Amino acid sequence: MTSPATAPLHDPTGDPAPGSTTEVKTTTCYMCACRCGIRVHLRDSGQGPQVRYIEGNPDHPLNKGILCAKGSSGIMKQYSPARLTQPLKRKAGTERGSGQYEPISWDETFLILEKRLSHLRATDPKKFALFTGRDQMQALTGLFARQFGTPNYAAHGGFCSVNMAAGMIYTIGGSFWEFGGPDLERAKLFVMIGTAEDHHSNPMKAMLSKFKRNGGRFIAINPIRTGYSAIADEWIPIRPGTDGALIMALIRELITLGLYDRDFVTRYTNAGQLVNQDEASDDFGMMMRNPEGDVINPLRHHNFMWWDREQGKPVADHAEGSDPRLFGEYAMPDGTPVKPAFQLLEERVRSCTPEWAEEITGVPAARIRALAHEMGVTARDQSIELPIAWTDFWGRKHKSVKGNPVAFHAMRGLAAHSNGFQSIRALSILMSLLGTIDRPGGFRHKAPYPRAVPPNARPPKGPASIKPNTPLDAPPLGWVETPADLCVDDQGQPVRIDKGFSWEYPFSAHGLMHNVITNAWRGDPYPIDTLMLFMANMAWNSTMNTSEVRKMLVDKREDGEYKIPFIVVCDAFQSETTAFADLILPDTTYLERHDAMSMLDRPISEYDGPCDSVRVPVLPPLGQCKPFQEVLVELAGRLHLPAFINADGGRKYKGYTDFIVNYETAPGSGIGFLTGWRGKNGDQSLRGEPNPKQWEQYAANNCVHHYSMPPEHQYMRNWNRGYLEWAQKVGLRRDLDPITIHIYSEFMQRFRLAAQGKGQGRQPPEALRDRVATYFDPLPFWYEPLEVQSSDKAAYPLAAVTQRPMAMYHSWDSQNPWLRQIHSHNFLFVNPKTAQAQGIEDGGWMWVESQWGKVRCLCRYSEAVEPGTVWTWNAIGKSKGAWSLTDKADESEKGFLLNHLISEELTSANGGKVSNADPITGQAGWYDVRVRIRAAAKDEAAQSWPQFSSTPALPGTAQTVPRWRAWFAGISK
Ligand code: SF4
């Protein structure tokens, strides 16, 4: 018999507490962005339901029951002592950053917001800026900003991976992760580039496991061998920021060896289209148009020309019976010299030899040759044929669907460089040459993709779009096609606070969150009044130059007013950023609220058809927590934003759930946030009248709606007439036209021509002409990242990058006692040879320095990193006082944040400031920093540096944190 002293705190095999009730509810995980289905086991012992444990939902299409460590640990996030529980206002007379707050009611909170925001809306709406982190409700937050009338809105994409989205979407009309991915069911060769263990976590692990069991070959190309790469059959180490050079060389080899899929390339890409080569023409570099050809879509013409190989003359593209030349140089009947786009690609890569790439990447030339050969031969010799008949856009009937089983996946390692867009364009072209787009064994789209190249939404076009008390005439974020689409004034100057969609970053489809605070602080291009942040830890890991940005948040004008006068932070936890808020709104956790993972946003679609999902509350909100969705719908009603009120001025929606059910993209469109159980009786999918029981029907069906398309619609969707007609009917596409792969990008060339002073339209300011003309190249090219170009590489010989750890997501999980057992602090991982050359011991304290700053941290030797790179896990290091960690917590004593070493700005060609970002998309170039390392002196403090003074626990959070914490279904210690 066990004595009381040694009795287990909890016996999991024992009877439930007497009189308690148990229940299992399904919802959707949000311990990371993958959105796996979960079943939450609850017990109620008379004090309200409490989470007993969380398991994966076996009936969910995304994870099929798999749950990762983070997902299981959601309990500890729910019961985190860092939970905010009531609205808080900075105490009068206290300084921002000191963490002195007083609780206020929601009524008072809404009155403060209503008064301030209604004044801004009536006077100058752009003085309100709304920026969000990794939320999953951008369709709502974007709608709120548009209705408010401010262009100053974006989520975290500009910091995360907009290059991946934009580089691929501007080329193939789709992208990785939420919008598409590798078909590992049928692939034989899988090449993963620049991906650790973050995006698409559980589904990727499950697919990889099956792929390997089926005998597939997995090659990981990455400076570091971690995460998924750990199970790769081969690791090819590469220097950060050089992937584009490797890919250019691979393209060259495929063309030289003739190992590209000619049939696919000619029919489904613009490789055969003729390009004007008359340098004197205003249309130099643009596609030749056939004035008598069918434009197909009046909004986006498709009347291109091919050079027919049999007839030896120009013909309409896709003319029945014609076959275009891909190589050569020709003259049109009027004498205009032309070349097929593929010829221009071949000329572009001709000098990109494997030896050239070896110099840049560190990958041996022989390995590059062998890799290209392996890709090409696998695609050609192991091709797949599925007995699925389909008809292409031009009416040709195909008896089967063919596939070339070489699949790729890439993410932030490729994207977070200032040359990422062009590198990802190159990757998309490589995938296209291998004939793998939306085919079995290759890349597969997920609804609502494929979309037009580029998609139809355009951002506001300039100051005229911003009017008091008026919604914007366009969504704040969109896809730029021509200079006319830029959001600039008559002088070509930026209109957005982050300078998105300006000549500095024309294709910034996700905005530039990383420059908002710096620009607002400097008043460049203008000062703002109110900055509202949702789920964005912008005083810590969601910014660069973190120490300086924290100073900007508390900096004052001469009149004593803060340079950013009012900061509102909505979050569920006391983060590093809450200390800088003037008003704090306590958000709910994912277990306490409704959410829609919408087809209007980023759904969880499968390759075989549209799939969206929801969260439903399994617990009541803690304290006075209120979902940010509810806050926005309430505010929208109070501010009389037109989409949220009736003609009589009364509120249209009772709250968020009512909004999700009843909102339609246009009156009577039948298209809303959710695609499942539409129509009055809930018997329609994708399109139908609002259904008042929609939430209940999602809840009764594992919180997910999956529409599986017939097999003949599942492949070749860019050109599949049956699919395209259906997609237009159900509202997934506006137009009925083919989505041609853009090997050669006319859109880029249009910007280059404008920069060269050609044409009648908008042209960049003088200071930016060279920049635009250089980077807006219609064909991909590799250039050294901008920060590397401006670094002294002899003084700073190493590249430094971060990766997201497998066990933690953004900054959320350093508060999680279960996950803290896996990591409570981070190391700088250094190749032993590199560390030993500097006399740095394994486990010893060291300094890592960039041209911008320095950090003291702990070293860990690792053979799994190429010698020219050092790296660390992101966001484990914490500032004291945040996340209810004690001041002695490992996270702040030993953990560190590499972002202190990375500048958010660089010096521009004219000596001014420009974002440290991709000059095409504005993607933060935070993987471009160059560093040097040295051992810390023996007598230095055994503590990471920089350190920040601790901020006090906020009212409503746990004021004291027990030394250790346990959670055993109803027993919290
Ligand atoms: S991968 Fe893990 S943390 Fe992410 S949604 Fe799935 S279970 Fe949750």
Side-chain angles (χ1 to χ4, degrees):
M1 191 173 150
T2 356
S3 73
T6 56
L9 188 58
H10 171 71
D11 177 4
T13 62
D15 288 338
S20 65
T21 56
T22 59
E23 195 179 2
V24 181
K25 290 187 175 175
T26 57
T27 187
T28 304
C29 184
Y30 198 3
M31 292 296 284
C32 85
C34 291
R35 299 156 296 177
C36 298
I38 51 172
R39 298 175 8 143
V40 184
H41 292 246
L42 301 156
R43 174 185 290 176
D44 190 340
S45 305
Q47 300 162 325
Q50 293 178 318
V51 186
R52 180 174 163 84
Y53 71 97
I54 298 172
E55 65 176 340
N57 182 352
D59 299 322
H60 197 278
L62 193 81
N63 57 318
K64 301 179 181 71
I66 299 169
L67 197 69
C68 76
K70 300 182 293 268
S72 316
S73 305
I75 300 174
M76 301 309 276
K77 190 178 206 169
Q78 178 64 26
Y79 299 112
S80 163
R83 287 288 305 273
L84 301 168
T85 59
Q86 56 204 138
L88 299 171
K89 187 167 81 166
R90 182 164 58 84
K91 276 187 184 162
T94 66
E95 293 297 319
R96 198 185 270 173
S98 65
Q100 304 293 319
Y101 290 87
E102 61 186 350
I104 56 170
S105 68
W106 274 108
D107 279 348
E108 189 181 347
T109 305
F110 280 121
L111 283 175
I112 294 170
L113 288 171
E114 187 182 337
K115 187 170 167 215
R116 193 153 195 131
L117 296 188
S118 58
H119 171 71
L120 295 181
R121 188 163 189 264
T123 50
D124 190 356
K126 68 179 184 303
K127 291 204 159 182
F128 169 60
L130 171 61
F131 283 82
T132 77
R134 199 12 177 140
D135 68 293
Q136 296 179 343
M137 46 184 280
Q138 290 164 34
L140 171 59
T141 48
L143 177 69
F144 182 90
R146 179 177 181 175
Q147 289 286 311
F148 187 91
T150 180
N152 292 328
Y153 160 79
H156 86 310
F159 198 60
C160 179
S161 275
V162 66
N163 269 342
M164 186 53 63
M168 289 189 76
I169 289 171
Y170 273 96
T171 308
I172 65 168
S175 179
F176 285 125
W177 194 31
E178 287 134 318
F179 307 141
D183 177 7
L184 295 188
E185 289 262 346
R186 296 196 181 89
K188 302 283 187 221
L189 174 64
F190 178 46
V191 182
M192 182 178 263
I193 312 180
T195 308
E197 143 59 53
D198 41 22
H199 295 90
H200 212 46
S201 180
N202 271 352
M204 179 57 76
K205 284 178 231 156
M207 282 195 296
L208 273 177
S209 158
K210 203 165 172 189
F211 173 75
K212 294 265 291 181
R213 279 171 218 275
N214 288 342
R217 186 164 140 70
F218 173 17
I219 297 174
I221 302 174
N222 201 311
I224 304 148
R225 184 173 197 169
T226 56
Y228 307 126
S229 304
I231 60 157
D233 296 293
E234 185 180 354
W235 170 44
I236 300 181
I238 186 168
R239 296 177 187 136
T242 68
D243 312 82
L246 172 69
I247 297 166
M248 296 292 285
L250 292 170
I251 292 173
R252 177 191 185 274
E253 288 301 290
L254 288 182
I255 294 177
T256 307
L257 297 170
L259 280 174
Y260 56 93
D261 184 335
R262 188 183 185 281
D263 290 347
F264 183 89
V265 165
T266 51
R267 194 154 184 87
Y268 304 119
T269 79
N270 66 8
Q273 291 177 13
L274 299 176
V275 182
N276 185 328
Q277 293 299 288
D278 177 5
E279 290 190 27
S281 165
D282 274 359
D283 288 331
F284 173 69
M286 298 298 284
M287 296 297 186
M288 299 303 297
R289 306 275 167 176
N290 176 9
E292 280 130 41
D294 182 2
V295 299
I296 299 176
N297 176 0
L299 299 170
R300 189 180 299 109
H301 294 189
H302 291 262
N303 52 342
F304 302 106
M305 309 289 292
W306 283 351
W307 194 271
D308 186 80
R309 60 192 302 131
E310 295 298 329
Q311 301 178 61
K313 64 173 191 177
V315 296
D317 70 298
H318 294 92
E320 194 50 44
S322 72
D323 185 18
R325 291 268 179 208
L326 294 183
F327 295 101
E329 190 171 353
Y330 308 97
M332 298 298 282
D334 68 358
T336 306
V338 293
K339 288 180 184 174
F342 202 71
Q343 170 69 35
L344 297 173
L345 176 68
E346 188 278 325
E347 289 172 16
R348 168 55 50 85
V349 298
R350 205 176 284 165
S351 60
C352 301
T353 61
E355 286 72 20
W356 166 83
E358 176 179 344
E359 280 287 302
I360 297 165
T361 63
V363 181
R367 186 67 201 89
I368 297 172
R369 283 204 169 82
L371 181 59
H373 188 262
E374 184 178 4
M375 287 175 178
V377 166
T378 306
R380 185 192 65 192
D381 297 349
Q382 301 196 48
S383 64
I384 300 164
E385 194 159 359
L386 303 179
I388 300 170
W390 66 287
T391 303
D392 72 23
F393 182 83
W394 301 276
R396 185 178 290 177
K397 295 190 185 316
H398 302 259
K399 287 194 188 124
S400 61
V401 168
K402 296 194 174 128
N404 301 336
V406 181
F408 293 81
H409 185 65
M411 258 297 148
R412 197 177 308 108
L414 212 61
H417 299 285
S418 54
N419 62 6
F421 179 87
Q422 289 287 14
S423 298
I424 290 159
R425 277 260 303 137
L427 175 65
S428 310
I429 290 169
L430 173 69
M431 291 160 58
S432 302
L433 296 197
L434 289 164
T436 63
I437 306 302
D438 212 34
R439 290 175 118 185
F443 170 87
R444 303 280 308 279
H445 290 297
K446 295 179 188 173
Y449 286 80
R451 284 193 155 152
V453 177
N456 298 326
R458 304 278 173 265
K461 295 197 188 329
S465 296
I466 306 160
K467 298 190 184 103
N469 284 330
T470 310
L472 296 176
D473 56 7
L477 299 175
W479 300 89
V480 162
E481 186 174 323
T482 75
D485 298 328
L486 290 176
C487 192
V488 292
D489 65 16
D490 290 344
Q491 286 71 48
Q493 297 303 317
V495 169
R496 287 173 58 103
I497 188 66
D498 61 0
K499 306 193 182 182
F501 305 115
S502 71
W503 287 101
E504 286 178 30
Y505 331 97
F507 288 3
S508 45
H510 294 176
L512 290 87
M513 168 179 151
H514 45 287
N515 284 102
V516 171
I517 291 174
T518 306
N519 291 359
W521 165 77
R522 193 181 285 133
D524 174 19
Y526 46 79
I528 61 167
D529 177 87
T530 296
L531 174 62
M532 183 181 270
L533 302 175
F534 169 54
M535 253 181 64
N537 199 3
M538 287 176 68
W540 200 246
N541 55 294
S542 289
T543 196
M544 308 193 278
N545 195 14
T546 309
S547 305
E548 293 304 311
V549 163
R550 289 165 69 91
K551 288 181 198 157
M552 293 173 194
L553 290 170
V554 297
D555 197 18
K556 291 182 175 173
R557 307 187 305 227
E558 279 180 3
D559 65 3
E561 174 66 275
Y562 286 108
K563 288 193 171 169
I564 304 174
F566 199 62
I567 298 177
V568 184
V569 173
C570 182
D571 209 313
F573 307 101
Q574 177 171 357
S575 69
E576 283 84 353
T577 303
T578 48
F580 297 94
D582 299 294
L583 196 60
I584 298 175
L585 316 181
D587 192 21
T588 44
T589 69
Y590 68 104
L591 297 177
E592 297 170 341
R593 65 167 178 254
H594 288 91
D595 263 334
M597 272 62 74
S598 163
M599 205 59 64
L600 302 181
D601 198 332
R602 295 160 177 238
I604 59 163
S605 292
E606 297 282 312
Y607 297 144
D608 71 357
C611 187
D612 60 16
S613 62
V614 301
R615 291 191 183 94
V616 293
V618 301
L619 292 167
L622 182 68
Q624 297 172 44
C625 291
K626 196 181 277 293
F628 189 56
Q629 294 91 324
E630 295 288 359
V631 172
L632 284 186
V633 174
E634 172 71 24
L635 265 180
R638 287 174 181 247
L639 296 169
H640 301 282
L641 306 190
F644 294 82
I645 53 169
N646 291 315
D648 64 3
R651 296 230 187 142
K652 211 175 199 170
Y653 306 110
K654 292 195 279 286
Y656 176 70
T657 50
D658 191 36
F659 167 77
I660 290 294
V661 165
N662 290 304
Y663 174 82
E664 290 180 285
T665 51
S669 72
I671 299 172
F673 273 72
L674 294 173
T675 59
W677 298 281
R678 298 195 68 85
K680 275 224 162 82
N681 305 317
D683 53 4
Q684 291 169 40
S685 279
L686 302 165
R687 200 163 190 169
E689 279 177 282
N691 165 18
K693 297 270 181 230
Q694 196 176 29
W695 283 105
E696 287 85 337
Q697 285 173 294
Y698 267 89
N701 287 279
N702 296 304
C703 292
V704 64
H705 175 258
H706 181 191
Y707 179 92
S708 189
M709 301 183 299
E712 63 270 24
H713 288 180
Q714 291 182 15
Y715 299 93
M716 301 296 283
R717 279 167 279 187
N718 295 47
W719 320 275
N720 180 328
R721 181 168 274 278
Y723 168 78
L724 291 168
E725 286 173 349
W726 173 82
Q728 190 188 37
K729 198 168 108 204
V730 299
L732 289 176
R733 291 205 65 212
R734 183 190 69 188
D735 306 318
L736 179 60
D737 58 354
I739 303 163
T740 303
I741 292 173
H742 286 230
I743 301 277
Y744 182 95
S745 176
E746 267 196 320
F747 309 124
M748 308 287 287
Q749 180 65 9
R750 267 191 205 135
F751 278 80
R752 172 174 273 184
L753 290 175
Q756 291 168 344
K758 295 195 171 176
Q760 303 300 315
R762 281 170 159 176
Q763 295 189 0
E766 278 312 309
L768 291 170
R769 280 188 190 275
D770 279 355
R771 174 177 159 111
V772 174
T774 302
Y775 296 110
F776 276 75
D777 193 309
L779 288 164
F781 71 112
W782 182 83
Y783 55 93
E784 207 168 38
L786 304 187
E787 167 147 13
V788 182
Q789 288 179 28
S790 67
S791 297
D792 178 345
K793 290 186 276 295
Y796 299 98
L798 302 170
V801 296
T802 61
Q803 302 193 86
R804 195 187 294 150
M806 195 175 289
M808 292 183 175
Y809 191 68
H810 292 285
S811 48
W812 284 340
D813 294 316
S814 295
Q815 62 186 304
N816 193 308
W818 289 358
L819 298 175
R820 290 183 71 212
Q821 293 177 52
I822 300 171
H823 308 276
S824 63
H825 65 89
N826 50 332
F827 290 94
L828 191 75
F829 293 96
V830 188
N831 189 289
K833 284 192 211 114
T834 312
Q836 283 158 358
Q838 300 302 322
I840 303 167
E841 292 171 9
D842 187 20
W845 286 99
M846 62 180 288
W847 287 95
V848 51
E849 299 170 333
S850 74
Q851 60 176 315
W852 314 109
K854 61 180 183 177
V855 162
R856 184 169 55 211
C857 57
L858 285 164
C859 175
R860 175 63 76 223
Y861 286 5
S862 172
E863 297 280 358
V865 54
E866 69 94 21
T869 302
V870 296
W871 73 278
T872 189
W873 298 122
N874 191 26
I876 294 179
K878 290 282 179 283
S879 175
K880 285 190 197 314
W883 306 97
S884 288
L885 298 172
T886 68
D887 284 358
K888 289 286 170 205
D890 274 0
E891 282 79 356
S892 53
E893 285 288 287
K894 296 181 184 168
F896 69 100
L897 189 68
L898 200 72
N899 303 33
H900 293 297
L901 297 183
I902 308 169
S903 177
E904 82 283 35
E905 292 185 319
L906 299 174
T907 302
S908 66
N910 65 353
K913 294 289 183 190
V914 67
S915 176
N916 182 4
D918 191 302
I920 299 165
T921 60
Q923 155 93 52
W926 57 305
Y927 283 19
D928 289 339
V929 71
R930 304 289 302 186
V931 300
R932 62 185 172 211
I933 55 175
R934 63 183 165 88
K938 295 283 176 220
D939 57 353
E940 285 186 38
Q943 186 189 47
S944 58
W945 193 92
Q947 289 286 326
F948 300 89
S949 51
S950 180
T951 44
L954 291 173
T957 61
Q959 298 300 298
T960 55
V961 182
R963 199 169 140 65
W964 70 281
R965 298 181 58 236
W967 177 257
F968 296 119
I971 308 169
S972 180
K973 296 263 177 191

